[in-house]
Amino acid sequence: MTSRRFLGLGYLAPYIIGLLVFTLVPFLASLYLSFTDYNLMSAPTWTGLENYIDLFTNDRTFRRSLTVTLIYVFTTVPLKLAFALFIAYILNYRLRGINFFRTAFYVPSILGGSIAIAVLWRYIFATNGLVNMGLVGLGFEPVNWFGDPTNALFTITLLRCWQFGSAMVIFLAALQSIDKSLYEAASIDGATKFTSFVFITIPLLTPVIFFNLIMQMVQAFQEFNGPYIITQGGPLKSTYLLPLYIYDEAFKRFDMGYASAIAWVLFVIIMVLTLIAFWSSKKWVFYAGDKRS
Amino acid sequence: MTDTTIDTARLQARKRIRNARISAFVRYVVLLAVGLVMLYPLIWLVGASFKTNNEIFANPGFMPQNPTLDGYIEGWKTSTPYTFGTFFLNSFKIILPKVIGTVISCTFVAYGFARFDFPFKKILFGSVIAILLLPNVVTRIPQYILFRDLGWLDSFLPLWVPSALAGDAFFVFMLVQFLRAIPGDMEEAARVDGANSWQTLLFIVVPMLAPALISVALFQFMWTMNDFLGPLIYISSVDKYPVSLALKLSIDTTEAFAWNRILAMSVLTITPALAVFFAAQKYFIEGISAGGIKG
């Protein structure tokens, strides 16, 4: 039996090596580097809290970047989840062709992360691109998408909302597992569609809402391809999200210590928000019976 | 009295059928409208890749007025000494070993987690979840320094090796969930018959796990095809560029008026992922529903 105990660890060997070499050690190393000045040429020199003090007291780019990142995450994640839930709710019905729609709505998620789609976005939101041609055709004024700071960030939000497929598929699977008799009982008691949605559907969906919320948030904080290709962080740094700033500091200016400090600020923000979500989940996430779904 | 009750019942039934029809109609209209708005940019992209440069910013329609293959022919040549053929080959050189390494290592690790008891199992499985939630941005800089010290920069090794060591925690998690749902009876029977754990894995677990392994391979294929930041950091010679970097390079270097080349190459770079998705969509949808997925 002892040999079998170690057999399990044997199967885990690749994972354990990878965990140590590519995750645990780099994780600690980046914390250490964030307290140093390191330009890859000479050994890191310990500077204590200097990087962090710099960040918060005299780095206007950082403050701008942090603000933009928070605005981006807090608009993109709720919009994307609301849209995914809305479409999943409509799809959750005995409709003919539901598989066709589910596939069609998932296509953008297959491609959304690719550079090709970011390129496409650059063209369709250009001054005389597809979107403005459509707006003019409908009798509206064309919009200056990339010249205006608010609009530019919004094009990236739109790109990520366009990829709502994964969240939708998860919502749809959860909706299909809800016991129909609950709705029948509610409608006999006089509940309208809307009240049953609010008091039956939403509570039963809270576990998947929670799951989607965390996953989408962690992902949104790391958005890179969209702003890098579509807007290059501009105009006026209005789409200069923190991952772009980290990339520039680390791989263009080779200021590894400073870049690590920014990465750690970003990490701590994500951690704190995730912990708040987990902690508050006891109050709002509803697990039916003991079955954790 | 009874007649009226029957009448009201009938009336209500008719009303319910009518409401159901209206509801279905409204749903179809919303789905079609949303679907059209969502897919039109992609449809337009395909049409635009056959248009002339002047027409791209003048014609919001799908059909090109004077269809031309110019974008494809000129775009394929690129402004580098290489053609897009080289870049596609590079992409596949990255993808193939990475997918194989992922499938094999994740199978071992998931089997270990799902079927064995060992010291520190809880902590180790906890670490899988932690990696799942850990933003890559914190580990990226030291990883880069590590690969530099190993002399792996400007090679495909930084893209292959972490995946070959089951570094994509999501896949481990998905396979463990899948394995836990399969009862271990068959494996028990095989063990009684004298099979060792390695034979059990190969001849019993792997065949049962096959659909999940296909999902893993497909997702890894797609993500690697789309990956941009990894190659951007690690690959510096143009002759090793995968298509994602090549496309970025062509935006930077193509003269401002040759949009059709870039759009044509964009169409080509999304084709493999789309083809794989349509050929095997069942596995994608099942994969997401089973494990919950990013994207």
Side-chain angles (χ1 to χ4, degrees):
Chain A
M1 217 47 212
T2 14
S3 73
R4 204 172 152 76
R5 277 175 77 83
F6 289 100
L7 207 55
L9 277 175
Y11 279 108
L12 254 66
Y15 173 76
I16 295 170
I17 296 168
L19 175 70
L20 290 176
V21 177
F22 297 121
T23 306
L24 205 59
V25 172
F27 179 73
L28 298 172
S30 82
L31 180 62
Y32 164 73
L33 285 176
S34 76
F35 295 107
T36 66
D37 184 16
Y38 182 41
N39 61 6
L40 287 181
M41 295 303 171
S42 46
T45 44
W46 182 265
T47 54
L49 284 170
E50 205 182 289
N51 287 334
Y52 290 98
I53 293 168
D54 269 358
L55 274 179
F56 285 102
T57 54
N58 51 30
D59 187 344
R60 291 181 58 185
T61 307
F62 171 73
R63 239 172 296 161
R64 175 76 172 150
S65 182
L66 179 62
T67 316
V68 169
T69 307
L70 291 173
I71 293 172
Y72 170 75
V73 172
F74 285 112
T75 50
T76 306
V77 174
L79 270 177
K80 185 174 180 177
L81 291 188
F83 190 53
L85 180 56
F86 171 69
I87 296 295
Y89 183 73
I90 293 180
L91 274 177
N92 182 33
Y93 194 75
R94 277 169 292 117
L95 285 179
R96 229 174 274 178
I98 169 173
N99 286 337
F100 168 76
F101 284 113
R102 195 176 57 178
T103 307
F105 290 151
Y106 193 68
V107 166
S109 297
I110 295 289
L111 307 171
S114 71
I115 294 308
I117 295 304
V119 169
L120 172 66
W121 232 244
R122 232 167 106 153
Y123 288 105
I124 62 177
F125 284 99
T127 320
N128 47 357
L130 184 62
V131 174
N132 277 347
M133 282 193 273
L135 287 176
V136 171
L138 293 170
F140 293 100
E141 287 286 302
V143 176
N144 184 0
W145 292 102
F146 296 137
D148 178 275
T150 323
N151 292 346
L153 190 62
F154 191 60
T155 59
I156 295 161
T157 296
L158 275 180
L159 170 62
R160 294 310 169 215
C161 288
W162 185 63
Q163 297 175 257
F164 67 101
S166 306
M168 175 202 72
V169 170
I170 296 169
F171 278 136
L172 186 59
L175 279 171
Q176 284 170 340
S177 70
I178 294 177
D179 190 351
K180 297 280 175 295
S181 64
L182 289 172
Y183 294 113
E184 279 157 26
S187 96
I188 288 167
D189 289 345
T192 62
K193 279 237 158 110
F194 180 74
T195 45
S196 11
F197 180 75
V198 172
F199 294 106
I200 300 173
T201 314
I202 294 282
L204 287 174
L205 283 185
T206 46
V208 280
I209 294 176
F210 176 66
F211 174 83
N212 275 336
L213 183 72
I214 302 249
M215 294 310 271
Q216 298 295 342
M217 186 188 72
V218 172
Q219 222 186 321
F221 268 112
Q222 299 187 78
E223 176 63 44
F224 179 83
N225 291 4
Y228 186 80
I229 299 287
I230 302 172
T231 56
Q232 296 94 45
L236 302 171
K237 299 223 184 293
S238 62
T239 55
Y240 198 56
L241 300 180
L242 283 172
L244 260 73
Y245 191 28
I246 296 169
Y247 173 80
D248 282 346
E249 284 298 322
F251 301 108
K252 283 208 177 130
R253 291 190 266 284
F254 294 103
D255 198 344
M256 295 297 181
Y258 202 63
S260 299
I262 309 170
W264 265 81
V265 173
L266 182 59
F267 170 66
V268 168
I269 293 171
I270 299 175
M271 272 304 293
V272 167
L273 288 174
T274 309
L275 287 177
I276 290 174
F278 268 102
W279 171 80
S280 72
S281 72
K282 285 175 206 133
K283 297 197 166 61
W284 63 272
V285 175
F286 173 79
Y287 291 102
D290 283 328
K291 220 181 102 193
R292 297 201 138 223
S293 59
Chain B
M1 192 63 192
T2 30
D3 276 4
T4 36
T5 349
I6 291 167
D7 275 355
T8 17
R10 237 182 241 158
L11 218 68
Q12 270 174 348
R14 219 174 283 160
K15 206 176 147 194
R16 214 177 303 138
I17 290 168
R18 208 186 59 201
N19 281 346
R21 280 204 187 129
I22 293 173
S23 162
F25 178 73
V26 171
R27 280 166 199 259
Y28 270 123
V29 170
V30 174
L31 289 177
L32 279 173
V34 172
L36 197 68
V37 170
M38 287 197 40
L39 294 184
Y40 191 70
L42 289 174
I43 298 168
W44 178 84
L45 171 67
V46 175
S49 68
F50 293 102
K51 289 177 185 168
T52 58
N53 272 313
N54 295 331
E55 203 190 334
I56 288 174
F57 283 125
N59 176 9
F62 157 72
M63 280 304 287
Q65 274 147 3
N66 309 302
T68 166
L69 280 172
D70 214 42
Y72 286 90
I73 294 165
E74 292 300 317
W76 185 264
K77 287 183 196 156
T78 75
S79 52
T80 67
Y82 312 96
T83 64
F84 249 86
T86 312
F87 303 134
F88 268 105
L89 198 65
N90 287 336
S91 272
F92 291 113
K93 277 186 201 157
I94 296 173
I95 291 172
L96 201 66
K98 186 163 170 167
V99 168
I100 294 171
T102 305
V103 168
I104 294 175
S105 64
C106 291
T107 305
F108 277 129
V109 175
Y111 181 57
F113 272 124
R115 293 293 191 257
F116 294 91
D117 257 325
F118 45 82
F120 310 115
K121 184 173 170 178
K122 270 210 166 132
I123 296 174
L124 282 167
F125 195 66
S127 76
V128 175
I129 313 281
I131 295 182
L132 207 60
L133 292 173
L134 183 76
N136 295 328
V137 75
V138 262
T139 49
R140 196 166 287 133
I141 291 167
Q143 276 178 6
Y144 174 85
I145 297 167
L146 172 72
F147 292 134
R148 187 194 63 145
D149 293 344
L150 288 170
W152 287 2
L153 291 188
D154 204 23
S155 80
F156 298 147
L157 287 166
L159 305 171
W160 290 336
V161 176
S163 293
L165 292 173
D168 302 285
F170 169 73
F171 295 131
V172 174
F173 183 72
M174 185 176 129
L175 290 179
V176 170
Q177 296 294 85
F178 195 93
L179 261 181
R180 278 182 180 160
I182 303 175
D185 305 353
M186 295 246 293
E187 294 153 57
E188 202 55 45
R191 211 171 67 200
V192 171
D193 288 347
N196 61 33
S197 76
W198 162 246
Q199 290 163 324
T200 317
L201 172 65
L202 195 61
F203 297 112
I204 297 185
V205 176
V206 168
M208 286 193 297
L209 210 52
L213 293 177
I214 294 173
S215 296
V216 168
L218 292 175
F219 273 110
Q220 188 65 295
F221 172 86
M222 212 175 67
W223 288 343
T224 312
M225 192 80 204
N226 287 343
D227 184 25
F228 176 67
L229 191 54
L232 180 69
I233 292 173
Y234 296 120
I235 310 290
S236 44
S237 328
V238 176
D239 64 315
K240 289 179 189 142
Y241 271 19
V243 287
S244 56
L245 284 188
L247 202 56
K248 165 72 174 127
L249 184 72
S250 59
I251 313 174
D252 296 341
T253 55
T254 305
E255 314 86 287
F257 52 83
W259 301 294
N260 62 351
R261 296 183 199 173
I262 293 167
L263 292 182
M265 291 307 106
S266 298
V267 172
L268 289 187
T269 60
I270 60 178
T271 307
L274 266 191
V276 165
F277 173 65
F278 280 111
Q281 40 168 308
K282 172 181 136 202
Y283 295 104
F284 279 98
I285 306 281
E286 276 168 12
I288 311 157
S289 316
I293 212 164
K294 56 182 179 178

